[in-house]
Amino acid sequence: MSDILNHQLSVIVVNFVDMLSHARTEMEMIKELADNESSYRSITLSWFEHSTLFELLKLLASKNVKIVITTDHGTIRVNNPVKVTGDKNTSSNLRYKHGKLLNYNTKKVFEVHNPKDIHLPQLNLSSSYIFTYNDDFFAYPNNFNHYVSYYKNTFQHGGISMEEMLIPLITLEPK
C-alpha cells in the first residue's frame, strides 16, 4: 500500500479473467461451472467480490486515490469453425492467422494482403493476415472435429469484432 500511495502512478495487472477464460477452454470442471455466459460472468463476479483486489479498491477509495480500470483486449464466445491451412510458421491464434501460403474460403474471412495498409507488421514479402468474422474461429483440417469440439463455445480474443477491439475504460474517484 505504501508503494501505491508514494507514487504518482502505480499499475497493477490482474489477469484472473484471462486465466478463467483459458481454464474454461482447458479444464472440464471449469467448462461445466461456466458453460454459458451468465455462469461465466457469475463466477467472475463471485471471484471479484471475494478478492484482495476488491479489498484494495475499497482501501484506496478511503485514501482518496483516483483509480483507472481498463483491459488490453476484449473477448468473444466462438461457435463456428472456419477451415484454414498454412505453412508451419503460421500463427496459432484462433481468431486471426498470419503467415505465408494461407489457404481458406475467401467468403468466410477478412483478408489483409498488405499488412502495412492497416499498420500491422509484415515479416515476409508474401505474408498476409486473415481474420474471422462474428463468432467464427479457425480450425485446421487435420483433427478438425477434435479442435471444433475443444474450442466451440469458448471465449477467445485476437480478432476484429467490436467485443474484442473496444477497450473499456473507467475512472473512479472517491466521493
Side-chain angles (χ1 to χ4, degrees):
M1 179 56 78
S2 63
D3 283 344
I4 292 172
L5 296 175
N6 290 330
H7 291 89
Q8 193 171 16
L9 174 68
S10 294
V11 176
I12 299 172
V13 176
V14 178
N15 65 346
F16 172 80
V17 175
D18 202 39
M19 288 174 26
L20 178 63
S21 173
H22 291 291
R24 187 175 180 271
T25 301
E26 298 164 7
M27 297 174 63
E28 286 301 319
M29 182 179 73
I30 302 296
K31 276 185 192 178
E32 288 186 31
L33 288 172
D35 69 336
N36 58 49
E37 284 190 57
S38 177
S39 58
Y40 179 78
R41 293 181 196 288
S42 177
I43 287 173
T44 304
L45 177 60
S46 178
W47 166 80
F48 176 72
E49 289 173 336
H50 299 92
S51 71
T52 55
L53 174 61
F54 189 41
E55 294 302 316
L56 177 63
L57 293 174
K58 289 189 284 190
L59 187 58
L60 291 172
S62 72
K63 303 287 186 187
N64 200 29
V65 173
K66 182 191 287 190
I67 298 170
V68 177
I69 299 175
T70 190
T71 183
D72 60 341
H73 59 76
T75 61
I76 188 166
R77 188 175 61 172
V78 297
N79 282 304
N80 302 309
V82 173
K83 288 184 182 178
V84 64
T85 60
D87 69 8
K88 65 179 181 171
N89 296 318
T90 300
S91 61
S92 61
N93 191 286
L94 297 178
R95 296 283 292 156
Y96 78 91
K97 295 291 180 192
H98 171 261
K100 299 184 296 183
L101 305 173
L102 296 174
N103 188 12
Y104 48 88
N105 180 341
T106 58
K107 294 178 182 172
K108 300 219 176 222
V109 303
F110 178 76
E111 305 171 287
V112 178
H113 295 292
N114 186 4
K116 291 184 181 196
D117 288 347
I118 61 170
H119 306 285
L120 290 173
Q122 185 168 5
L123 303 176
N124 302 307
L125 285 176
S126 60
S127 64
S128 60
Y129 287 80
I130 55 173
F131 297 88
T132 57
Y133 291 117
N134 307 313
D135 62 348
D136 297 345
F137 65 97
F138 288 121
Y140 293 112
N142 57 330
N143 294 326
F144 183 77
N145 292 331
H146 166 74
Y147 287 108
V148 169
S149 64
Y150 189 75
Y151 290 112
K152 190 172 185 166
N153 195 31
T154 63
F155 289 92
Q156 299 297 325
H157 57 85
I160 56 172
S161 71
M162 294 294 268
E163 294 88 342
E164 294 162 281
M165 295 190 63
L166 287 179
I167 304 299
L169 180 101
I170 186 170
T171 301
L172 305 172
E173 296 186 48
K175 292 183 179 182

